[in-house]
Amino acid sequence: MVHRTPGQKIPIDIQAALASLEKLEQKDKEELSLPESVYFLQNQLPSALKKGYNYQDLSEILKTQEMKVSAATFKQYLTEIEEEKRSRKREVKPNFRDSSSAKIKG
């Protein structure tokens, strides 16, 4: 066990610490949160809904894969994902003005 005194300064080579952190590889997640899981399934879920399945059906199917989510929560997560996509599209669109209306003084 290392004993430290209050206010003790520990010498550290910041550049070496930064270099070590930059060399780190991506660490795979062993588990996903429920919202993350729904996010990764987002592209397949609308097609299942178009095939006639409802949120309750999808909730039951996912329970067999140990994803326990109510139909209401499931729908809420998908709605939030869609809203986020729409807001990102609005942010990305450039707001160009008609160049003919700009007057250049010279």
Side-chain angles (χ1 to χ4, degrees):
M1 182 174 194
V2 177
H3 295 282
R4 290 188 274 165
T5 58
Q8 176 185 1
K9 301 287 184 190
I10 302 169
I12 184 168
D13 181 356
I14 295 295
Q15 294 303 322
L18 289 171
S20 294
L21 292 173
E22 287 176 358
K23 290 178 186 176
L24 292 175
E25 297 291 325
Q26 181 68 33
K27 187 175 179 180
D28 292 334
K29 283 186 147 188
E30 293 180 16
E31 295 179 335
L32 296 174
S33 68
L34 188 55
E36 289 172 327
S37 299
V38 173
Y39 178 82
F40 283 109
L41 297 172
Q42 69 178 310
N43 294 329
Q44 289 73 34
L45 297 171
S47 64
L49 292 168
K50 287 178 186 176
K51 291 178 183 176
Y53 292 90
N54 61 34
Y55 290 102
Q56 185 61 44
D57 297 330
L58 297 175
S59 174
E60 294 297 322
I61 291 167
L62 294 177
K63 280 182 188 175
T64 65
Q65 301 299 314
E66 297 186 27
M67 278 183 65
K68 296 175 183 165
V69 56
S70 71
T73 301
F74 192 44
K75 184 175 181 178
Q76 176 188 348
Y77 288 157
L78 285 175
T79 302
E80 289 171 2
I81 289 168
E82 287 302 316
E83 286 174 358
E84 186 177 320
K85 280 183 185 178
R86 282 192 293 271
S87 70
R88 275 196 230 141
K89 284 182 182 177
R90 278 183 258 150
E91 290 173 8
V92 172
K93 284 185 179 179
N95 188 8
F96 293 113
R97 293 184 179 180
D98 183 7
S99 60
S100 63
S101 66
K103 294 183 180 179
I104 300 174
K105 293 182 181 178

